[in-house]
Amino acid sequence: MDPRTALIVATLMMLLNGGVLGLMQRGMSPDVQPSAADWRIGTLLAAGGSLLLAAQEGYSPGFILPMGNGCLFLAMALYWRAVRRFDGHADAWWIFLPVALASFGIFWFAAVMPSLEARVIVATVAWSVCLLPAASSLIKGSRHDAAASRRVLAAMMLSLAGFMLLRLIYFVARPSEATSILDTASWVNAVTPLMVAVLPVVGTTAFLMMCSERIRRQWELAATTDYLTDLPNRRTINATGQSRFAAARRTGHKIAVAIIDIDHFKSFNDHFGHECGDQALKHVAALLAQNCRGPSLVGRLGGEEFVALFENAGTNEALAAAERLRASIEQAPVILSGETRRITVSIGISLIANDDNAFDDVLRRADRALYVAKSSGRNRVESDVE
């Protein structure tokens, strides 16, 4: 396949992928839509740049080459920005500075001092400046996001940057073999359009997989996390509690359960309103999360009730941990509607017993201990252990 045909085929594939991404972009979550828009525009620009380079014969090199290469440079910059936006980085204007400099370089070595080797050097630098940081960002992000699509996309970018470097070495070593990218005297020219199409075509598929994996993780998080407090929800607490109960049965280790209830929350909610009530719940949740670390786990059962699991904790350790939770909330008032309000909690503690058949048995006895704490004056810790 000659270079012109390869460029045209690559252009058609890029346009198709850009169109597919445009259709799918509307159904993506708002947090990835800006990134998807950058990737789609970059893909369409890559198609435009390939088409311009395929049609360069018959046009002034000082016009068509800077335009075609400029579209490709801008596409790489937009891919870089898409990756940055996907990872939540702030927008940066300097991403597009290499595009302007490289486009001017192409113009200079096409119209003023014609040199294919110099244009290849400019293009290689411009592509590398965009691709290498984008790949680095993908690799760094994979430390907390284990999506395989990130690593695949990073590998594509590194491979493309490596090809551009090899292409540079080839043309510098054989300066007289070709005069333009359409020259059939060089096999590298036939391969270049295919490599240029890697990101707009195959890379778009990897990018869509990144987006779908993020959406899947968001749904998984929503299914296991309380929407208001960002703590584990009742479903997660029950599943974790059952797992730790079974482990305690196997190993003989102790676990303790604490149910925490905000005192007088209904009257508090009625007086200040539901919005302030939500703020109070978030305040208490943050304090509980701050003071439940290591093997401990805290979550929201629902309403004004929270639950904490203490692993490897006997009666004294569980009571001491619960007392720290109670005191931390009492000593950290919250400002609501311009007023400083003190919030207190009552806590019921229960430990796993020999006759417990399930985690629900431990939870039920902790609830009874909570009832004792509330009926005994509130703002206190009670245990079901005699």
Side-chain angles (χ1 to χ4, degrees), residues 10 17 221 305:
N17 276 267
L221 183 63
E305 282 193 344

Side-chain angles (χ1 to χ4, degrees), residues 63-111:
F63 168 76
I64 199 74
L65 292 181
M67 288 290 294
N69 281 279
C71 286
L72 291 172
F73 298 154
L74 186 55
M76 297 305 112
L78 284 170
Y79 289 154
W80 181 14
R81 190 171 78 163
V83 170
R84 286 174 52 86
R85 283 183 163 183
F86 189 87
D87 288 337
H89 296 294
D91 201 1
W93 64 268
W94 44 262
I95 285 178
F96 300 104
L97 184 59
V99 176
L101 296 175
S103 298
F104 177 78
I106 296 295
F107 164 78
W108 185 264
F109 292 113

Side-chain angles (χ1 to χ4, degrees), residues 183-197:
D183 197 320
T184 57
S186 171
W187 64 267
V188 175
N189 283 342
V191 177
T192 298
L194 301 179
M195 293 301 297
V196 169

Side-chain angles (χ1 to χ4, degrees), residues 42-53:
T43 299
L44 296 176
L45 282 169
S50 298
L51 190 60
L52 287 170
L53 293 180

Side-chain angles (χ1 to χ4, degrees), residues 149-192:
S149 53
R150 294 184 70 99
R151 297 189 293 273
V152 170
L153 190 54
M156 289 182 192
M157 291 180 169
L158 291 174
S159 298
L160 186 52
F163 170 78
M164 294 298 292
L165 179 59
L166 291 175
R167 178 172 175 263
L168 167 62
I169 295 172
Y170 179 88
F171 278 112
V172 170
R174 302 188 177 189
S176 61
E177 188 167 317
T179 58
S180 78
I181 195 175
L182 298 181
D183 197 320
T184 57
S186 171
W187 64 267
V188 175
N189 283 342
V191 177
T192 298

Side-chain angles (χ1 to χ4, degrees), residues 327-338:
S328 68
I329 295 170
E330 182 183 26
Q331 295 168 8
V334 61
I335 299 177
L336 300 173
S337 298

Side-chain angles (χ1 to χ4, degrees), residues 234-303:
R234 187 186 191 107
R235 174 183 177 183
T236 305
I237 286 293
N238 285 334
T240 304
Q242 291 169 11
S243 174
R244 294 191 180 182
F245 178 88
R249 281 291 190 226
R250 291 193 305 270
T251 62
H253 292 164
K254 297 177 181 180
I255 61 171
V257 177
I259 296 183
I260 304 115
D261 186 274
I262 299 178
D263 294 330
H264 303 293
F265 185 73
K266 185 178 183 305
S267 59
F268 176 92
N269 212 20
D270 292 341
H271 177 73
F272 288 99
H274 291 286
E275 184 176 348
C276 288
D278 288 347
Q279 293 180 24
L281 287 170
K282 292 178 182 179
H283 174 75
V284 171
L287 291 171
L288 292 175
Q290 181 181 345
N291 289 278
C292 277
R293 297 181 178 178
S296 301
L297 173 71
V298 63
R300 185 186 178 197
L301 280 179

